[in-house]
Amino acid sequence: MKYATLLPSNKKIPINTIFCVGQNYAEHAKEMGGTVASTPVIFLKPSNAVIENGTPILLPKLSNNVHHEVELTVLVGKRGRNISKADAMAHVAGYGVGLDMTMRDVQLEAKKSGNPWSIAKGFFTSAPLSPFIEAANIPDPHQLNISLKVNGTERQRTNTSKMNFKVDDLIVFLSSVFSLEEGDIIYTGTPEGVAQVVAGDVLEAEILTVGTLTHTVV
Ligand code: MG
């Protein structure tokens, strides 16, 4: 069982379902050769893919092109189904930093053949996740500077204001399809600048006022 940590209370919450949003920043959708979708693109990661800050990211044998994707993550604190937009933010327990590590070559092959993305997105160590800062301490999750450095060089930087589907939109949509439970996590999508990582790389992800992650690729 993996746990999410909520700060500053240090409360541990068992991680339930991990929902991830694809193509939620226009510039990233463009670099992938697409556009932002009219309904959210959703895929899942298994909870055993989660690693905490500092744990090495293991390159899978199946891929020759693993990419970094830095993302704002949302911890769901309260169950609900068909949650209204007005109620949506009351279901958020906290916000964190996540990396959605992706076998890009395997994903592109899956896209081409119409197969699921589970292998490309859900492999062991593919979900680095920081502790979560209680939502009350983050006045606006859509005004956060988010960045990623590899070996000290900046690769991704934007502001969460550029997200297409906002946190409340995602909660409305996910709860209408799946229902949401305490301990669910939402990876809200990555901005542009995704690129390959290789063994020995050091990844430093940061969302100002939310947290940081530092991981070595092995
Ligand atoms: Mg992603």
Side-chain angles (χ1 to χ4, degrees):
M1 176 84 71
K2 303 276 182 170
Y3 290 86
T5 303
L6 202 49
L7 298 177
S9 67
N10 225 24
K11 187 180 176 193
K12 304 273 185 198
I13 298 174
I15 294 176
N16 193 46
T17 302
I18 303 174
F19 299 100
C20 304
V21 185
Q23 298 168 16
N24 203 22
Y25 286 81
E27 288 301 313
H28 171 63
K30 202 157 93 183
E31 75 184 348
M32 291 287 102
T35 52
V36 290
S38 53
T39 53
V41 174
I42 303 295
F43 58 92
L44 308 181
K45 281 181 191 272
S47 59
N48 59 9
V50 169
I51 52 173
E52 55 185 45
N53 186 25
T55 307
I57 295 167
L58 307 180
L59 288 174
K61 289 196 180 74
L62 273 178
S63 176
N64 293 310
N65 191 14
V66 172
H67 276 198
H68 55 73
E69 296 190 358
V70 65
E71 310 197 2
L72 173 71
T73 55
V74 176
L75 176 65
V76 175
K78 193 169 81 166
R79 78 186 318 174
R81 178 158 159 73
N82 293 322
I83 299 165
S84 71
K85 190 152 168 143
D87 290 342
M89 297 311 256
H91 289 258
V92 176
Y95 298 96
V97 188
L99 287 168
D100 168 17
M101 301 305 296
T102 302
M103 296 189 210
R104 191 69 70 203
D105 45 356
V106 174
Q107 185 200 25
L108 291 177
E109 195 52 48
K111 279 185 180 177
K112 227 189 292 171
S113 52
N115 285 329
W117 296 2
S118 306
I119 292 171
K121 290 288 197 177
F123 62 93
F124 187 57
T125 74
S126 64
L129 202 54
S130 77
F132 291 82
I133 302 296
E134 285 172 9
N137 296 322
I138 306 294
D140 187 351
H142 305 112
Q143 286 296 335
L144 299 171
N145 289 318
I146 178 169
S147 66
L148 177 84
K149 285 183 198 167
V150 179
N151 304 326
T153 302
E154 193 169 278
R155 294 256 192 100
Q156 296 188 267
R157 171 174 290 279
T158 197
N159 186 279
T160 55
S161 59
K162 303 227 174 102
M163 280 170 52
N164 181 38
F165 295 104
K166 309 298 189 201
V167 173
D168 50 353
D169 300 323
L170 295 170
I171 286 172
V172 168
F173 181 76
L174 290 170
S175 74
S176 75
V177 178
F178 300 97
S179 88
L180 287 174
E181 297 287 337
E182 182 183 26
D184 286 348
I185 286 166
I186 307 168
Y187 275 72
T188 58
T190 196
E192 67 277 15
V194 300
Q196 186 174 11
V197 298
V198 297
D201 281 351
V202 177
L203 278 53
E204 293 171 274
E206 181 177 52
I207 300 180
L208 281 180
T209 73
V210 172
T212 60
L213 285 174
T214 304
H215 292 271
T216 302
V217 178
V218 175

